[in-house]
Amino acid sequence: MVESSVQSDADDNNQQVPSVDIISGTVEAEPHTNGSEDHEEEISGCGAQYCCNPNWGPFRFIALFFMCFLGFGSYFCFDTPGSLQDYIKDEMKVDTVAFASLYSLYSWPNVVLCFIGGFLIDRVFGIRWGTIIFSSIVTGGQFVYALGALVNQFWLMQVGRFIFGIGGESLAVAQNTYTVSWFKGKELNTVFGLQLSMARVGSTVNFLSMVPLYEWVQTFSEGYQALGYSLLFAGITCVFSLGCALILGVLDNKRSKVLHLDAAQSGEKIKLSDILTFPASFWLISIICVAYYVAIFPFIGLAKVFFMRKYDLDATTANSVSSVVYLISAIASPILGNLVDRTGRNVTWVFMAVLITLGCHAMLTFTFWSPFISMSILGLAYSLLASALWPMVALIIPEHQLGTAYGIMQSVQNLGLAVISIVAGLIVDTSGYMMLEMFYMIWLCIALVATIAIALVDSGGDGYLLMSAATRKRDFPHPPADAKLNEAFDDKL
Amino acid sequence: MRGGVVVVILAAMVVVAFGLPPRNLTDPEVNPGCEECEEPWLIVTTGEGTNDTLHHLWGAKEALSFLVVTGTGGPNISVDWDALHNGTNRSITFQSQPSSVFGFVIPNLILYNDPKDDGAFKGQNESLRVPVSDFTWSAEVLPNSSHHVAVKLQTTHFQDTPLPNETRILMQVSAYGEDGRSSVLPHLLYTPNSAQLDLVLDHLMLNLTEEANSWKKTRWGMDVVVFSSENKVEGEDGDQGLKFHTQKSLDDEHTPGVFNLDQLTNAGAWAEGEGGGYLQWRPVSYLSSDRDIAKATVPNLNTSLPALVNLTEPLRKSLAYAVMGDNLTLSGVAVTSVISFGQYKDGFYAAEKYTTWTVAIGEGVPPKETFSTLVVVVISLGVVLPAAMFLVGCVVLAVRRWRHHGSSASILITPE
């Protein structure tokens, strides 16, 4: 699943980073009412019970449960190609390039959709129906993908993954929108961290469970049909998430009526002309975003067979190794996010994360040390980078342009992943896994160079990205990104 | 870790720079001096070096034979064809006694039923040995150069019955006069002291016995006899004779997806300056002509390597006996084994009806895999560029910080 800025690491009380560091950019500052504050809706029946009463404080935590599992199915099923890589290649008779297209096709629609996901939620479907529709698309895509395997038609699997991709990222936008609507001003960052951890748990569970599931399915089926049934069973998680979307819609509707709130909006305002005002640091951050993540997600997608061939692991153990990154990340992300919050110095942390990741890939390339070691460290580095990189955008881009900025970053990231996934498959087929690792290390070197460039650019300016949190608080009571807003207007006049 | 990488790079460059001296190879002769030989009893090519002469001897009659013979005499060899046809020992002689003889013989193919899907041949009861002598072979000398000669050997008949067009055992045997790497997967290294055999079992569905025809999960294997005249040379740990090694390789660039390198060598082949020989192969057998790793299985070698005790009839008529004679049965000279093709869930031979095996045979120390030039360049750039940028960046940041402190101090010191 492409990295999103769900891993908000801004302290609720830390006003240096706007508490709107989500994919979609800004959110309404205060929940709007629909003007009938004096006329409280009467609740009766089971709705009057505490657990169903929006007036009850912990009610939102019931909704939190469903919010957390809203994206579980999507994250679980995203990596089903990776966990079943060798079976897909054997049963569907495809090479690594064709296999990699199962990841690439997920990313292609999101090159465009990341710009319009918020618009669809705000202007077309609304948050409730939007969530249900996107969750349905995810579920439908997964079932088409499974059907393709059942009938031994690889092209149908590819269509399924494309449909899955259309729903996947938009569902993440919807999830974020719900989160901000319910938890802004309360436990927003904690909830974001929790949701990120749940996303990672979904990926981890996929890698740990799909091979045992496939082996069980083989007791009553074989060949491509066994593969199809396994993917159908995986699709049950998407059905579960769809159920959560339905329930969440009911809860949100109830909450809106009782508390007289307007439906949540993403507040995403995309204005492509804004990119002309984006500073050089932003473009360097985008380069890092692409160059770093192409060494993570396509790598994990192809890692299973790499571990099996190089380290002589069986399928289950190889998948366990792949899952370590997400497992570590589920635990470490909130901790490292807190660390970056307290220390600042985002550029330094990004540099360290990229360097450590480069070292992990070097370990996998030039040694036969247990891959558990390098993958565990990689999980830490991956979490550290996410915690330090995404908030940097909010530090340098004015609040009203964040939607566009994050949209651009995600679009570029998805484009990079879509292309690099295919290139990675080609490299494996023609030149082997060592060359693939070299390829990833080249991209990480690019990310490293871009990080150093950010440091140089930033040091030539106000040095905000290099500063510690304490220095930022002391020297910049208001984030410099807002000052840039005024500069931009002055330039235009 | 970076220091270790640099050492590997330097070692690779040294090995590349100081390879073996090249040899000029003679054109392969098929059955030299035998007018009535129709099948390839003996194919010989010779490479003259500065200090020695290397003969490559190949044969497909009675048993598949592949020998590397090193000597200090001239290039000529003498063949007593009647003795060779009768299986008399030492029917092939050289101008001077060879200093080293190394080779292997394949007397039989093995068809075995593998209902448990074990992959390797483990002496299953349902097995049948098919003598190589049941096949009729043709030989074709391919276009060659002074540093690369090749011969194509192909079956035409089985038990005197013509084989269908698609059914064949195909072997391409190549000898080399310089260092390099084969252009055909698995891209094995070659040296001026080596040759390579590329074996293909293509649609080998034979009408054998009624019982064999009833087997549904069949695989192919081969009996192999490997021999060396350098049996007395000791290795570093005092071992003598032929040993199997499997080496882990970091680089699968030349054989995508394969990280191991298997070798069967004399103990002496590892000792500097001593003779001996080696067989070297990648543990991969491709199941299609495009040699995609996605369709591949594994060649399994029985590594117990018991000594050869008795000379069977095919062995007596092979080139091994023609050169080595009764010395073949001396202690430590020859070992027997089985190479079988298959692994769990590969669908058995019937799935693709195509199996390859490529092996290098050579005299002396086996060539070592090294990183390619591209890898070395990428590593160098990947280490140097970011390091240089980091250093420059640190200098720039330090200078800016010093200037910033300097200007702050001058503001503080401004006189009233």
Side-chain angles (χ1 to χ4, degrees):
Chain A
M1 201 87 179
V2 296
E3 187 73 354
S4 67
S5 52
V6 168
Q7 57 282 353
S8 162
D9 52 53
D11 189 351
D12 272 352
N13 297 322
N14 181 2
Q15 294 304 309
Q16 294 172 7
V17 177
S19 57
V20 290
D21 40 355
I22 57 174
I23 305 168
S24 319
T26 60
V27 174
E28 305 301 329
E30 292 290 338
H32 283 183
T33 66
N34 55 18
S36 309
E37 292 173 351
D38 295 333
H39 178 71
E40 283 198 3
E41 182 167 318
E42 288 185 8
I43 315 166
S44 60
C46 70
Q49 300 296 320
Y50 276 126
C51 59
C52 300
N53 187 344
N55 285 312
W56 184 52
F59 176 75
R60 65 183 183 278
F61 296 110
I62 296 170
L64 173 62
F65 172 84
F66 296 105
M67 269 181 235
C68 284
F69 283 99
L70 198 56
F72 182 84
S74 179
Y75 283 106
F76 182 96
C77 292
F78 171 76
D79 263 318
T80 48
S83 56
L84 298 175
Q85 183 191 163
D86 48 336
Y87 305 127
I88 291 174
K89 287 160 81 172
D90 286 344
E91 304 301 346
M92 307 307 295
K93 308 274 189 279
V94 295
D95 58 14
T96 315
V97 175
F99 166 79
S101 71
L102 295 175
Y103 281 102
S104 177
L105 286 164
Y106 177 94
S107 297
W108 278 115
N110 294 300
V111 175
V112 174
L113 278 174
C114 55
F115 287 111
I116 64 175
F119 171 80
L120 290 173
I121 289 172
D122 294 343
R123 301 294 177 87
V124 181
F125 302 126
I127 180 59
R128 297 170 205 133
W129 277 111
T131 306
I132 293 167
I133 289 169
F134 295 139
S135 188
S136 300
I137 293 174
V138 164
T139 306
Q142 176 66 20
F143 282 117
V144 171
Y145 167 53
L147 181 66
L150 264 179
V151 297
N152 196 20
Q153 297 295 325
F154 188 73
W155 66 267
L156 194 57
M157 293 180 77
Q158 291 173 309
V159 168
R161 288 290 289 184
F162 185 82
I163 297 170
F164 184 82
I166 291 173
E169 292 302 297
S170 305
L171 184 62
V173 174
Q175 187 181 35
N176 291 343
T177 307
Y178 263 132
T179 303
V180 174
S181 168
W182 282 69
F183 291 95
K184 181 167 170 51
K186 300 181 183 69
E187 305 89 1
L188 182 63
N189 291 306
T190 304
V191 168
F192 269 133
L194 183 64
Q195 285 184 343
L196 175 65
S197 293
M198 285 304 301
R200 303 287 178 260
V201 165
S203 301
T204 304
V205 172
N206 162 68
F207 279 108
L208 295 178
S209 64
M210 283 310 294
V211 169
L213 173 65
Y214 180 80
E215 288 173 351
W216 171 71
V217 168
Q218 282 193 307
T219 59
F220 58 86
S221 178
E222 59 180 15
Y224 52 82
Q225 288 188 330
L227 183 65
Y229 285 127
S230 302
L231 295 173
L232 276 178
F233 280 116
I236 292 174
T237 59
C238 295
V239 175
F240 171 68
S241 293
L242 178 58
C244 291
L246 290 165
I247 294 170
L248 202 51
V250 169
L251 293 175
D252 190 68
N253 184 44
K254 189 179 185 68
R255 173 175 170 261
S256 295
K257 282 182 183 171
V258 170
L259 300 182
H260 308 293
L261 302 173
D262 288 338
Q265 292 198 320
S266 70
E268 188 176 276
K269 294 176 178 58
I270 302 293
K271 196 176 168 193
L272 290 178
S273 58
D274 284 345
I275 67 173
L276 300 173
T277 65
F278 289 165
S281 298
F282 169 78
W283 298 108
L284 290 168
I285 292 172
S286 298
I287 290 172
I288 297 171
C289 182
V290 175
Y292 182 84
Y293 286 112
V294 297
I296 300 293
F297 295 117
F299 164 67
I300 293 176
L302 296 177
K304 181 190 178 189
V305 175
F306 169 55
F307 294 140
M308 289 171 70
R309 292 193 191 278
K310 179 169 180 180
Y311 300 96
D312 298 324
L313 302 178
D314 60 74
T316 305
T317 309
N319 268 348
S320 300
V321 177
S322 298
S323 72
V324 163
V325 174
Y326 293 130
L327 184 63
I328 299 277
S329 177
I331 302 164
S333 288
I335 300 169
L336 292 172
N338 194 260
L339 174 68
V340 176
D341 262 350
R342 293 183 186 283
T343 59
R345 301 188 191 281
N346 293 60
V347 175
T348 308
W349 290 119
V350 168
F351 181 83
M352 281 181 59
V354 175
L355 193 64
I356 292 170
T357 305
L358 187 60
C360 293
H361 277 283
M363 256 193 276
L364 289 168
T365 308
F366 298 115
T367 75
F368 284 103
W369 298 345
S370 170
F372 279 106
I373 300 172
S374 40
M375 293 298 273
S376 299
I377 300 171
L378 184 66
L380 289 171
Y382 164 66
S383 303
L384 180 61
L385 183 114
S387 301
L389 181 74
W390 291 91
M392 280 167 66
V393 179
L395 299 182
I396 59 172
I397 300 291
E399 192 170 315
H400 72 286
Q401 294 179 328
L402 278 178
T404 306
Y406 281 120
I408 295 251
M409 271 184 74
Q410 283 219 295
S411 175
V412 172
Q413 184 191 42
N414 277 289
L415 182 63
L417 289 172
V419 172
I420 297 301
S421 296
I422 298 295
V423 173
L426 194 62
I427 291 174
V428 168
D429 281 344
T430 57
S431 305
Y433 287 98
M434 185 183 190
M435 289 308 294
L436 180 65
E437 284 291 335
M438 306 285 295
F439 177 69
Y440 291 142
M441 286 197 283
I442 289 172
W443 280 105
L444 289 169
C445 287
I446 293 172
L448 209 59
V449 168
T451 308
I452 295 169
I454 290 180
L456 293 173
V457 167
D458 190 58
S459 71
D462 52 28
Y464 194 73
L465 297 176
L466 286 164
M467 287 178 184
S468 66
T471 307
R472 283 177 190 162
K473 215 175 208 176
R474 185 192 68 211
D475 295 351
F476 291 91
H478 300 289
D482 291 339
K484 290 188 177 73
L485 163 65
N486 298 326
E487 287 176 18
F489 275 122
D490 290 342
D491 287 343
K492 284 181 183 174
L493 287 175
Chain B
M1 182 165 55
R2 285 193 176 174
V5 169
V6 171
V7 169
V8 167
I9 294 166
L10 288 175
M13 293 166 72
V14 168
V15 169
V16 167
F18 296 98
L20 292 170
R23 298 178 187 271
N24 285 328
L25 295 167
T26 61
D27 290 342
E29 287 185 85
V30 181
N31 301 326
C34 179
E35 301 291 334
E36 59 270 10
C37 294
E38 291 179 351
E39 291 184 68
W41 282 86
L42 171 66
I43 303 165
V44 60
T45 179
T46 303
E48 288 266 29
T50 48
N51 299 320
D52 58 11
T53 303
L54 197 82
H55 303 273
H56 296 282
L57 276 61
W58 309 323
K61 189 63 182 169
E62 300 300 329
L64 297 173
S65 308
F66 306 93
L67 284 78
V68 177
V69 181
T70 312
T72 53
N76 297 324
I77 66 171
S78 301
V79 183
D80 183 343
W81 284 103
D82 289 332
L84 182 60
H85 291 158
N86 293 331
T88 307
N89 69 355
R90 298 193 185 273
S91 52
I92 297 175
T93 53
F94 302 85
Q95 281 179 261
S96 63
Q97 182 68 17
S99 56
S100 171
V101 179
F102 183 88
F104 69 100
V105 172
I106 302 172
N108 307 304
L109 296 180
I110 307 170
L111 182 71
Y112 61 102
N113 197 32
D114 187 15
K116 292 183 183 174
D117 205 4
D118 290 326
F121 177 67
K122 296 178 181 174
Q124 284 91 332
N125 289 336
E126 291 179 318
S127 64
L128 178 69
R129 278 175 160 79
V130 181
V132 168
S133 57
D134 281 358
F135 293 93
T136 306
W137 295 84
S138 67
E140 178 190 345
V141 177
L142 299 174
N144 54 64
S145 66
S146 60
H147 290 147
H148 177 206
V149 301
V151 172
K152 187 169 83 172
L153 296 164
Q154 185 169 317
T155 52
T156 57
H157 293 70
F158 175 66
Q159 294 177 343
D160 296 325
T161 305
L163 288 167
N165 282 343
E166 60 180 10
T167 300
R168 58 181 181 167
I169 303 173
L170 175 65
M171 293 192 302
Q172 181 163 321
V173 200
S174 306
Y176 301 96
E178 60 186 358
D179 290 306
R181 192 180 289 277
S182 172
S183 59
V184 176
L185 278 165
H187 297 309
L188 293 177
L189 282 170
Y190 56 73
T191 72
N193 292 350
S194 75
Q196 285 186 16
L197 161 69
D198 188 82
L199 172 76
V200 176
L201 306 177
D202 189 0
H203 282 80
L204 200 61
M205 312 300 281
L206 302 173
N207 189 9
L208 300 168
T209 63
E210 205 171 304
E211 184 193 355
N213 292 343
S214 69
W215 297 336
K216 301 294 179 205
K217 297 182 178 179
T218 55
R219 300 185 188 279
W220 282 106
M222 308 181 297
D223 281 320
V224 177
V225 176
V226 185
F227 54 92
S228 170
S229 63
E230 301 294 313
N231 57 311
K232 297 297 182 193
V233 178
E234 285 187 2
E236 288 174 354
D237 49 2
D239 276 356
Q240 291 182 340
L242 291 158
K243 298 283 182 223
F244 172 76
H245 308 266
T246 186
Q247 256 185 339
K248 271 289 191 186
S249 170
L250 285 171
D251 190 358
D252 69 330
E253 181 187 359
H254 302 291
T255 316
V258 182
F259 289 92
N260 288 4
L261 186 64
D262 289 348
Q263 294 170 129
L264 192 62
T265 64
N266 279 117
W270 294 100
E272 192 176 352
E274 306 292 344
Y278 63 88
L279 294 180
Q280 187 180 68
W281 67 96
R282 290 279 188 179
V284 60
S285 288
Y286 298 105
L287 300 180
S288 63
S289 55
D290 58 6
R291 305 206 173 199
D292 188 345
I293 189 64
K295 280 190 199 172
T297 191
V298 175
N300 306 283
L301 178 80
N302 183 343
T303 57
S304 58
L305 302 177
L308 177 69
V309 176
N310 296 318
L311 287 173
T312 59
E313 190 63 20
L315 277 176
R316 283 189 182 276
K317 292 189 176 179
S318 71
L319 298 182
Y321 192 66
V323 172
M324 297 281 292
D326 291 316
N327 285 348
L328 269 181
T329 53
L330 291 179
S331 169
V333 171
V335 296
T336 61
S337 186
V338 171
I339 292 179
S340 53
F341 304 105
Q343 65 178 349
Y344 179 61
K345 279 203 165 182
D346 66 357
F348 309 98
Y349 182 75
E352 304 292 337
K353 302 187 185 63
Y354 192 96
T355 301
T356 71
W357 184 52
T358 307
V359 60
I361 171 174
E363 186 268 341
V365 179
K368 290 185 173 36
E369 288 286 349
T370 58
F371 293 141
S372 66
T373 309
L374 175 64
V375 170
V376 171
V377 167
V378 168
I379 291 172
S380 306
L381 287 175
V383 167
V384 167
L385 272 180
M389 271 213 67
F390 178 72
L391 286 171
V392 167
C394 286
V395 167
V396 170
L397 285 174
V399 166
R400 281 179 179 169
R401 195 160 288 186
W402 176 77
R403 282 186 185 165
H404 176 73
H405 282 304
S407 61
S408 302
S410 65
I411 290 170
L412 289 172
I413 296 170
T414 302
E416 294 178 13

